[in-house]
Every structure is written in structure tokens, then in C-alpha cells.
Amino acid sequence: MDGNSAIAEAAIRAGLRCYFGYPITPQNELTEYMALHLGRRKGCTFLQAESEVAAINMVYGASLVGARAMTSSSSPGISLKQEGISYLAACELPAVIVNMQRGGPGLGSISAAQSDYFQATRGGGHGDYRTIVLGPCSVQELADMTMRAFDLADKYKIPVMILGDGVLGQMKEPVDFKREAPDVTPTREGALMGARGRASRVVKTFTSNPSELEEINWSLFRRYQLIKKNETTWDTFMTDDARLVVVTYGIAARIAKGAIKNLRAEGLKVGLYRPVTLWPFPDEPLRELSKNVKQFLVFEMNMGQMIEDVQLALAGQGEVSFYGRPGGVIPTPDEVGRVMSRLYYQKGLRS
Amino acid sequence: MKLIYSRPKSLKKAAFHYCPGCGHSVAHRVVCEVIDEMELQDKTIGIPPPGCSVFAYNYFDVDMAESAHGRGAAVATGIKRACPQIIVFTYQGDGDLAGIGTAETIHAANRGENITTIFINNAVYGMTGGQMAPTTLCGMKTTTTPYGRDHVIEGYPLRMSEMLAPLDGVAYIERVAISSPAGIRRMKKAVAKAFQTQIDNRGFSMVEILSPCPTNWKMTPAQSWKWVGEEMTQVFPLGVYKDVMEPKHAD
Ligand SMILES: Cc1ncc(C[n+]2csc(CCOP(=O)(O)OP(=O)(O)O)c2C)c(N)n1
Ligand code: SF4
């Protein structure tokens, strides 16, 4: 199954009630899968909105009344959704947003890229907020993380972004869905429903009292601390004896893994550190790793974004190099392998 | 003794922050009266906009949620699609609905979203200090048209009711005016009809309310009400623009 369809099927099995989308390559298979399968389910809605702005605000509406709601897009469309994501974050509303990144800036290209890392992990819209950002690297992970995304969103009342890319969306791999779709989609407790048998409720942030808003920000950040503590996830590959560790995520991690296997066969002690949650960024395990590893290579399909988180995490422990290809260029394992082995020899790690 | 006037149940006991003579207070009260009379208080969600009415949730005693500027129709779409049994209304200014939110409004109307829109047309951006709105009359002075709106530069006042009415998804649209007690009575009938349209699952319903903004028009309340009736209605004629419930007469 292709990655985009796998996300859609996983979302339906996670109890998705409403999907709102707008066509953009390379994620159209997701929208089309929803059109085919979600709209016909009892009580569920598939709607092609008039714009990404409308779509994310429809998600906001559906989330207000406690439905599991989702939208998907690719880079230019995600820019348009930032307003709505900021409102979702502010009003503590769960939602799942998929970004199948493509090359930018501007209209850019429709080829896979990772250039929206900053936008995704720093909030993206206006205001002091975060969203949980998941960085899958296989079709199976797309499916698993979609289900996890809905659970996290509900648990922490926060928008969750799945940060994929054009290759992940289009590539086909076997996938095992770990849940069956529920007969009745869930409704979140505490949602707006009309004030039957209770006092009326207001969902809002706007206030003429800055200290009230300050408290809202504090309460959001206390929750973010909790998320950091409980939900930070990462993956390692052959790091035990590694002298050079590549730090990379998503499809780039897949490419790097191929390179690492090849270099290992040549006797080079190289390994992989892969953040799975991009926010919260897994900084402590990376620091831990730097006790034994002094040479890191950050590899991204952009001009260098996650490298800032790596540098912050390492705080001067170990040396950090960078290799990146922006604009939708997809590097090959051989290319990345050459970069790694050059660095390996230059830094005298062979001896 | 017979009680003929009291605070509607769905209007909270809070003092309005609106300027004296402002149409928002009147519109709030009328919508609350309708919600009471139609017994909708416990099944309604209201979506106020950024604008002078941003604090509408301090007054309406129904579930309410803030929305991004202009996105009310999209938010209401999400609510209604997720929970069709809920009665949803948006409350929007003219900057909100006819400026930044034109796309959301037109498409929700065209899809025949089963929602109700209360559209307050006061010909200016009230909250931000009286700038030109898409509905500002030609020649009218605002802070961003200090020499008067010139159609050569700024275009013409946008008539939303006329624009939306021909769309197939629209079930009911009426334009009313807060300029006299008769106008307010008419408004109440229109609001009730709009909610009934939604209850009957007929599609998109909207009441456009020509509404005084004495502060930004730099008028007394009395002058501003008169101006609504005498000037605004020239550009924005009152009446029912669409009513699919009304049997068509053969002519
Ligand atoms: C995206 C965005 N742009 C601008 C604003 C600032 N803003 C707040 S209310 C408003 C317009 C209010 O005018 P109107 O909708 O006519 O309502 P009124 O205040 O007159 O009732 C504007 C521009 C905003 N809140 N959000
Ligand atoms: S500025 Fe105008 S619209 Fe706003 S509260 Fe005052 S009178 Fe009403």
C-alpha cells in the first residue's frame, strides 16, 4: 500500500470522524482514499474544502464538538493552515495534521524535501506554542504513527503533525494495521455539545487581561513539559561501537541506513540516531550517546534545520558536521555513504 | 399583572461593553429572544468573530467558541458535519464576513451548509478603529478613506445578500435594519425564520442586519439609527432575498 493511503486507512481505524482536505501533490492519494472510504461510513464526513485555510478551520469546528478530525496537505498548503493550527493549539483542541513535504520555498517543486522542519517544530503559526511532531520513515510507521497521533492529540489536547515527505507518501510497502475501525467513532469528553444539563461553556483565548493570557501560556507550557517527559521517542541503529553517528529523520534516515549498512560491510564503525518525535526533540539520549561518540553528521534534505536542535542537545559535546540537499533533490545511499566515509577518514576515525 | 418584557434566559446577566446606540447589543438581545422562544439554548453552539462582538460569549448563555477572523462559516461547517443535531450559528461583522472571510462564506453557502449566519453590516471595521470595510458606502469617510470612499480607487460596497441569494445551496436570506422598533421586530422574525430553516435541514440561512456604529460614524446614537434607515438602506435595500420555504407564485 502507498504511504498516503496507509495514513488514511490508519486514521479511519483510529476512529476518524471528519476529514477536510484540499488537493496538492504529493499527498492526493490520502485525500482520494478518504473520499472513497471515509465519506461512506455512518456518521463520518469527507469534505473537499475550498482552501487549506477553510479545511483547517473545519477541523477546528469538528474538534470543538469532540470528533477525531484531520487534514492533510503539503508544504505550501501547510503554510496556509498555520493560522488554524495556532488557534487549535491556543484553544487546547486535538487534531491531526499531515504534511507530506515538498521542495520549497514558494511553489517550489513537488519532489520530496524536509524543508518544513523549522515550521513544524517551532509551532509554525503566531504565538508561543508547540505541536507534537512525528517523523515516520516507513509505510508501517506512517500507519502506526497516525494511530498514535490521534491518541496523543486527545491525551494532551494538542494538534499533532505527522511530518512526512513526497517519497514516503508515494512509496509502496506492506503494512499491518493494528486496529479495526470502530463501529461508532469516539467523542472526546468535555467537548461543546450545547449546554444540555450543564452550564454553557466557552472555548476561547482572547482577553483584555494580559495576565490571564500569560496563565494560558503557562498552562500550555506545563503540558509541553509533560509531553517532553512522557512521549519523547527516538531510534538507534548500530550505535553501540560507532565512531561516527549520523543524526537524521524520516526518509533521509532510510537513505542513511542504506549507506550505513554498506559502510559497515567495509568495516567502518558508523551508526544512526533517528529522532522519531521531532518535537519534543530527543535531546537527552543524544547527549548520552555523545559520551562515547565524538563525531556526528547531521543529514537532512534541506539546508540545515534539525542541526540546530542537535547542536543545542549536544551543547558542545562532540563535533557536528552537516550534509544536506534542498529543493526536492533526493540523495542516494551511495552519495551519503561517500560523505560519511570521507568524514570518517578525515577525522582519523579509522585507526 | 402580565410580564411583557424581561431579560431573555439565554442572555447572561452581564453589562454590554458596546458603545451606546451600537447595533450589536440589540442584535444580541434579539437572537437570545429567538433562542429562548424556539427552545434552542441547550442545543446551540455560537461562533463569534474577532470584531467588536468578539466578547459575544460573555453575553450569550449558550456554548460558544472563538474563531479566526473570517473563518466562522468554515468552523460552523466542521461543527455541523461532525454533529448535525447541534444548531450552529455564526455571528459576523462585515469586515469578517465580506472581507477576509468571503471565500469561506460563499463556499459554505454554496454547499448548502445547514448553518445560520447573523451578519452585522455596520459599513466599517468597528473594533480596529473605523477603517473602510467592503461595505463602506461610496463617499463615506473612514480612517482609511479619509477623503471618502472613492469607487475608482476602492471599488464599490459589496452586497453580500444579493451575491449569495442566487446560490443553489442558500435557503433563506433576508436583510433587515436596526433603525426603528419596526425594523427590530422584522429582524426578530427573520432570525427566527433563519433558525427554523436550519432546524428543517433546508440549507444555508443568513440574516444581514444593517447596524449602527455611532462611534466610528462620529454620530449620536439617534443620528446613527436615522442614517441606517435613510442612507444605508439606499445602497443595501431591505427585504427577503431568498426563501425556499415560501411557495413560488406563478406570474
Ligand atoms: C487575521 C486577522 N487580521 C486582522 C485582525 C484584526 N481585526 C480584528 S476585528 C477586525 C475587523 C472588525 O470589523 P468587522 O468584522 O466589520 O466587525 P465590527 O468590529 O465592525 O463589529 C480586524 C481587521 C485579526 N483579528 N485577524
Ligand atoms: S465601535 Fe461601533 S460596532 Fe463597535 S461597539 Fe462601538 S458602536 Fe458598536
Side-chain angles (χ1 to χ4, degrees):
Chain A
M1 190 179 235
D2 67 89
N4 284 323
S5 304
I7 295 177
E9 178 62 29
I12 291 170
R13 289 171 185 246
L16 178 73
R17 197 189 309 166
C18 296
Y19 171 90
F20 304 100
Y22 187 84
I24 185 168
T25 309
Q27 62 80 58
N28 290 320
E29 296 80 6
L30 204 170
T31 312
E32 286 160 7
Y33 193 97
M34 291 294 188
L36 206 54
H37 299 288
L38 179 70
R40 303 180 68 175
R41 294 185 75 84
K42 195 162 167 286
C44 296
T45 291
F46 162 82
L47 189 61
Q48 179 173 330
E50 63 270 27
S51 70
E52 289 87 349
V53 177
I56 191 75
N57 280 285
M58 290 171 186
V59 167
Y60 175 91
S63 184
L64 275 172
V65 292
R68 286 195 157 181
M70 171 182 189
T71 185
S72 64
S73 189
S74 179
S75 310
I78 296 293
S79 291
L80 282 182
K81 290 188 195 292
Q82 293 305 332
E83 173 193 59
I85 298 173
S86 169
Y87 276 75
L88 284 161
C91 293
E92 303 178 25
L93 292 170
V96 173
I97 301 129
V98 177
N99 181 2
M100 289 311 204
Q101 298 171 89
R102 57 188 249 181
L107 195 52
S109 81
I110 59 168
S111 177
Q114 297 184 320
S115 30
D116 303 344
Y117 179 89
F118 278 151
Q119 185 198 50
T121 57
R122 267 62 183 166
H126 63 286
D128 214 347
Y129 74 93
R130 302 287 189 165
T131 60
I132 295 177
V133 184
L134 305 176
C137 78
S138 66
V139 174
Q140 184 63 51
E141 269 196 3
L142 284 175
D144 295 346
M145 282 192 195
T146 300
M147 292 177 183
R148 183 175 175 215
F150 281 101
D151 296 342
L152 287 173
D154 275 355
K155 182 171 175 196
Y156 295 103
K157 297 199 206 120
I158 188 175
V160 178
M161 178 172 284
I162 296 170
L163 195 63
D165 62 75
V167 171
L168 277 174
Q170 314 266 321
M171 74 188 195
K172 290 193 174 163
E173 288 182 320
V175 52
D176 171 27
F177 295 102
K178 300 188 174 104
R179 294 182 205 172
E180 289 298 329
D183 292 334
V184 181
T185 60
T187 298
R188 182 171 35 88
E189 260 179 60
L192 296 191
M193 271 295 146
R196 174 152 305 170
R198 59 158 171 81
S200 61
R201 279 190 195 134
V202 177
V203 175
K204 60 113 191 175
T205 55
F206 190 71
T207 169
S208 43
N209 177 3
S211 58
E212 197 181 310
L213 188 57
E214 186 180 34
E215 186 38 52
I216 291 176
N217 274 280
W218 272 109
S219 103
L220 288 178
F221 271 75
R222 280 191 289 271
R223 185 140 6 115
Y224 297 161
Q225 288 307 114
L226 200 64
I227 294 171
K228 264 189 169 175
K229 194 167 129 253
N230 296 342
E231 310 297 347
T232 306
T233 326
W234 68 97
D235 188 21
T236 56
F237 177 65
M238 306 197 111
T239 49
D240 284 352
D241 62 342
R243 295 176 179 174
L244 168 66
V245 164
V246 186
V247 186
T248 175
Y249 79 96
I251 194 65
R254 278 290 275 276
I255 298 169
K257 209 169 182 175
I260 287 166
K261 282 182 191 156
N262 296 341
L263 293 183
R264 280 276 173 181
E266 294 171 21
L268 272 64
K269 293 182 174 165
V270 288
L272 174 84
Y273 181 84
R274 176 170 77 95
V276 173
T277 51
L278 303 177
W279 195 92
F281 185 82
D283 45 12
E284 257 177 51
L286 187 59
R287 256 196 305 281
E288 197 57 37
L289 195 61
S290 70
K291 286 183 182 154
N292 301 319
V293 182
K294 295 299 164 207
Q295 197 64 49
F296 294 91
L297 172 70
V298 177
F299 165 46
E300 302 178 68
M301 281 153 63
N302 60 43
M303 291 298 283
Q305 300 192 13
M306 188 178 70
I307 186 174
E308 295 191 4
D309 285 334
V310 173
Q311 284 166 332
L312 276 172
L314 292 175
Q317 295 291 307
E319 201 177 317
V320 182
S321 311
F322 178 75
Y323 185 66
R325 296 295 303 268
V329 174
I330 300 156
T332 63
D334 281 352
E335 175 185 344
V336 180
R338 278 195 300 277
V339 175
M340 287 162 66
S341 74
R342 197 183 324 132
L343 191 66
Y344 200 83
Y345 287 107
Q346 271 174 4
K347 300 291 175 186
L349 301 177
R350 184 82 228 217
S351 50
Chain B
M1 209 168 53
K2 197 172 156 227
L3 184 67
I4 54 164
Y5 195 80
S6 68
R7 175 182 288 275
K9 203 159 58 91
S10 50
L11 188 61
K12 289 179 186 165
K13 290 195 181 72
F16 284 131
H17 71 283
Y18 300 111
C19 310
C22 175
H24 279 304
S25 340
V26 182
H28 279 25
R29 181 183 165 105
V30 164
V31 173
C32 286
E33 284 178 5
V34 170
I35 288 174
D36 279 6
E37 285 164 28
M38 299 180 79
E39 298 180 353
L40 300 177
Q41 189 185 5
D42 63 356
K43 37 173 114 55
T44 295
I45 297 180
I47 303 295
C52 280
S53 54
V54 66
F55 289 126
Y57 42 64
N58 292 344
Y59 311 123
F60 285 87
D61 197 359
V62 300
D63 277 5
M64 292 195 109
E66 79 179 10
S67 60
H69 192 20
R71 316 297 175 219
V75 174
T77 297
I79 293 174
K80 196 71 181 182
R81 294 286 182 136
C83 282
Q85 75 278 14
I86 290 173
I87 301 298
V88 194
F89 74 93
T90 68
Y91 186 102
Q92 301 179 257
D94 43 6
D96 192 77
L97 180 140
I100 194 167
T102 325
E104 285 77 8
T105 306
I106 289 177
H107 287 281
N110 190 51
R111 285 190 303 266
E113 292 298 339
N114 203 27
I115 59 175
T116 298
T117 290
I118 308 295
F119 169 32
I120 306 291
N121 177 356
N122 59 11
V124 285
Y125 281 50
M127 191 197 208
T128 40
Q131 295 85 356
M132 180 188 75
T135 44
T136 296
L137 275 50
C138 286
M140 187 174 167
K141 285 187 180 162
T142 70
T143 58
T144 49
T145 53
Y147 307 106
R149 181 176 189 164
D150 176 353
H151 69 84
V152 176
I153 299 167
E154 282 107 8
Y156 298 88
L158 193 55
R159 297 184 180 93
M160 288 305 290
S161 290
E162 285 86 335
M163 199 164 103
L164 294 175
L167 301 177
D168 290 331
V170 173
Y172 176 72
I173 288 192
E174 180 165 353
R175 183 185 286 127
V176 298
I178 300 179
S179 56
S180 65
I184 295 167
R185 276 198 297 277
R186 184 65 238 170
M187 164 165 75
K188 187 169 170 183
K189 279 210 183 86
V191 171
K193 184 115 188 203
F195 277 111
Q196 192 58 48
T197 305
Q198 181 177 167
I199 291 164
D200 295 343
N201 262 313
R202 290 306 186 105
F204 184 79
S205 54
M206 181 175 93
V207 181
E208 174 175 350
I209 300 168
L210 305 183
S211 177
C213 173
T215 302
N216 286 306
W217 296 353
K218 308 205 174 3
M219 294 179 191
T220 65
Q223 282 169 337
S224 70
W225 283 50
K226 195 159 168 256
W227 197 80
V228 170
E230 291 176 2
E231 302 296 329
M232 273 190 93
T233 51
Q234 304 274 327
V235 181
F236 300 107
L238 305 185
V240 178
Y241 284 85
K242 181 83 164 269
D243 185 357
V244 294
M245 319 264 256
E246 206 61 40
K248 285 219 173 70
H249 301 285
D251 41 341

